[in-house]
Amino acid sequence: MQRKYRAKILVTLRPSVLDPAGVAVQSGLKQLGYDNVEQVRIGKYIELNVISPDETSARKDLNQMCDQMLANPVIENYKFDLIEVESQTGVY
Amino acid sequence: MQRKYRAKILVTLRPSVLDPAGVAVQSGLKQLGYDNVEQVRIGKYIELNVISPDETSARKDLNQMCDQMLANPVIENYKFDLIEVESQTGVY
């Protein structure tokens, strides 16, 4: 039986890495009058469905996807949540 | 007294809006051998500190920032969590 999981993935720059986009956003917010903002960091948020026989295998796939494509492990961290959304009987 | 809040903001495309970046990522994952992935959607994740006298006023500022700059309300939804990280006495 195959199960369907909804994955919510956060990809963030490692704290030691400069974030020019964050600096630009902070500067833009200041120009709009928001002087009370600091330490802006921009990351990515990815949602996707994974079809897998169980959660362990879904997590394994997701870690590989993040390492290979969704994140750049040299400069980014990632974490994800998995929620089972649906079970499917029969062959996927 | 001013309080400091760490805001974690998720900006996502509205479900009715096409996501070409998501389609491209899904296609890339397929080429890497991940045929078990579907409905990829790409959003933004923003972290920032807001300094405000209280949580209500911090939330009001954040809603305005999202509407004016961080998100495009025509095609995007946003939501955020606030955590108080530190209190500061005196003038900010």
Side-chain angles (χ1 to χ4, degrees):
Chain A
M1 198 178 80
Q2 296 284 336
R3 293 164 193 277
K4 188 184 284 190
Y5 300 90
R6 188 74 177 157
K8 304 188 173 197
I9 306 162
L10 287 180
V11 180
T12 50
L13 282 173
R14 288 179 187 271
S16 58
V17 177
L18 284 178
D19 181 1
V23 173
V25 164
Q26 182 167 341
S27 154
L29 288 171
K30 273 208 181 2
Q31 284 176 30
L32 288 175
Y34 300 104
D35 293 322
N36 57 340
V37 172
E38 57 179 33
Q39 292 185 36
V40 181
R41 305 283 288 177
I42 314 273
K44 277 181 296 185
Y45 173 64
I46 303 162
E47 284 192 12
L48 51 79
N49 289 348
V50 189
I51 291 110
S52 272
D54 56 50
E55 190 174 324
T56 308
S57 115
R59 284 187 182 277
K60 193 180 150 221
D61 275 0
L62 269 168
N63 275 312
Q64 287 179 347
M65 286 182 226
C66 286
D67 283 329
Q68 286 183 46
M69 189 170 151
L70 302 178
N72 177 349
V74 178
I75 57 166
E76 290 172 328
N77 291 322
Y78 62 85
K79 62 181 176 181
F80 55 80
D81 281 334
L82 269 190
I83 305 161
E84 184 169 351
V85 285
E86 185 184 315
S87 296
Q88 302 177 317
T89 49
V91 182
Y92 160 59
Chain B
M1 196 180 82
Q2 297 283 338
R3 293 165 193 275
K4 188 183 286 189
Y5 300 90
R6 188 76 178 155
K8 304 187 174 198
I9 306 162
L10 287 180
V11 180
T12 50
L13 281 172
R14 288 179 186 271
S16 58
V17 177
L18 285 178
D19 182 0
V23 173
V25 165
Q26 182 167 342
S27 151
L29 288 171
K30 273 209 182 359
Q31 284 175 31
L32 288 177
Y34 299 105
D35 294 322
N36 56 340
V37 173
E38 56 179 34
Q39 292 185 36
V40 180
R41 306 282 289 177
I42 313 274
K44 276 181 296 186
Y45 174 63
I46 303 162
E47 284 192 12
L48 51 80
N49 289 349
V50 190
I51 290 111
S52 272
D54 55 49
E55 189 174 325
T56 308
S57 116
R59 285 187 181 277
K60 192 181 149 219
D61 275 359
L62 269 169
N63 274 313
Q64 287 180 348
M65 287 182 226
C66 286
D67 283 329
Q68 285 182 49
M69 192 170 149
L70 302 178
N72 176 350
V74 178
I75 56 167
E76 290 172 328
N77 293 320
Y78 62 84
K79 61 182 177 183
F80 54 80
D81 281 334
L82 270 190
I83 305 161
E84 184 171 351
V85 285
E86 184 183 317
S87 296
Q88 302 178 315
T89 50
V91 181
Y92 158 60

